[in-house]
Amino acid sequence: MIVAIDGPAASGKGTLARSLASELSFAYMDTGKLYRRVALIVVSNGGSVDNESDCLEAIKSIDLLNDQGQKLYLEEIGLAASKLASIPIVRKELLGYQRFFSKNPGKGYLGAILDGRDIGTIVCPDADKKIYVTADFEVRVNRRLKELKAKGEKVIESEINKDMLNRDKRDFERAISPLKPAQDAWILDTSLLNTKEALKFALNYIRYGTR
Ligand code: DC
């Protein structure tokens, strides 16, 4: 069984996907991490995330499934990832990893959960269940602020606001695989939900097809 989860930055999709995977004994892939890993290597090598060959070189030089630590989660790496995510050949190179994982979650798992921007539309269009997680813009900005403050990072609200606008614009408006709910996706708005409530609704949807 494959569960596809998509949604914008700070919508709560990652937390939800991780909890669902643990509740259901499914393997979990955070596909944003693949894009972040490539971005981190390009930036560390002094390359440009707008340059196709810098990105391809990075993809070839690294083990994409290996972790590269906390730096992956810096805001600047998220933004850089969203830039290279609009290069068609980069998306093509990363597609195979995601499709393979969805069909081969590994021994002991009952299925696979992937979260990202184009899982229900492009990576796994035949997924058994598709959830599009969303939340109001202000709610997402506040979540990101809280998250960064908890990590001890210095944050300026207006900058987070600007970064989120930029990232949304790129993710929703890019020509290839833009972020949008699949036609058969179930929409879960987490603006007024805590993580436990979101998990309960999503589990009910997966198990019984209803909230
Ligand atoms: O989920 P995230 O914030 O870690 O993702 C970082 C960026 O990677 C996101 O802004 C766009 C890109 N991405 C994508 O284009 N497609 C995916 N399936 C996952 C992430």
Side-chain angles (χ1 to χ4, degrees), residues 12-129:
K13 65 182 188 316
T15 309
L16 176 67
R18 252 188 309 277
S19 317
L20 281 173
S22 135
E23 283 286 330
L24 297 166
S25 300
F26 278 27
Y28 168 54
M29 179 181 260
D30 168 1
T31 66
K33 254 184 166 180
L34 296 177
Y35 291 89
R36 284 174 183 263
R37 283 184 183 128
V38 179
L40 184 56
I41 297 294
V42 172
V43 171
S44 314
N45 289 346
S48 161
V49 286
D50 296 313
N51 182 302
E52 197 173 291
S53 35
D54 286 353
C55 296
L56 287 180
E57 206 177 296
I59 292 175
K60 303 237 149 68
S61 76
I62 54 171
D63 176 358
L64 279 170
L65 303 178
N66 240 335
D67 229 313
Q68 290 153 37
Q70 283 308 309
K71 269 194 174 172
L72 272 187
Y73 296 101
L74 292 174
E75 265 310 279
E76 66 201 65
I77 298 300
L79 268 174
S82 108
K83 282 189 186 166
L84 59 78
S86 63
I87 304 177
I89 185 79
V90 169
R91 302 202 71 85
K92 196 170 160 222
E93 290 284 329
L94 299 184
L95 189 59
Y97 288 93
Q98 301 169 72
R99 287 218 173 121
F100 181 83
F101 176 86
S102 71
K103 294 188 175 118
N104 303 277
K107 247 189 165 174
Y109 292 110
L110 302 176
I113 294 194
L114 294 88
D115 84 44
R117 304 290 189 287
D118 61 341
I119 310 299
T121 49
I122 307 288
V123 179
C124 304
D126 299 327
D128 301 275
K129 297 283 176 183

Side-chain angles (χ1 to χ4, degrees), residues 161-179:
N161 211 74
K162 198 176 85 197
D163 285 352
M164 189 78 82
L165 267 177
N166 279 337
R167 190 114 86 91
D168 274 5
K169 191 167 165 49
R170 245 184 245 117
D171 290 351
F172 282 109
E173 294 179 12
R174 66 176 172 234
I176 177 166
S177 305
L179 170 60

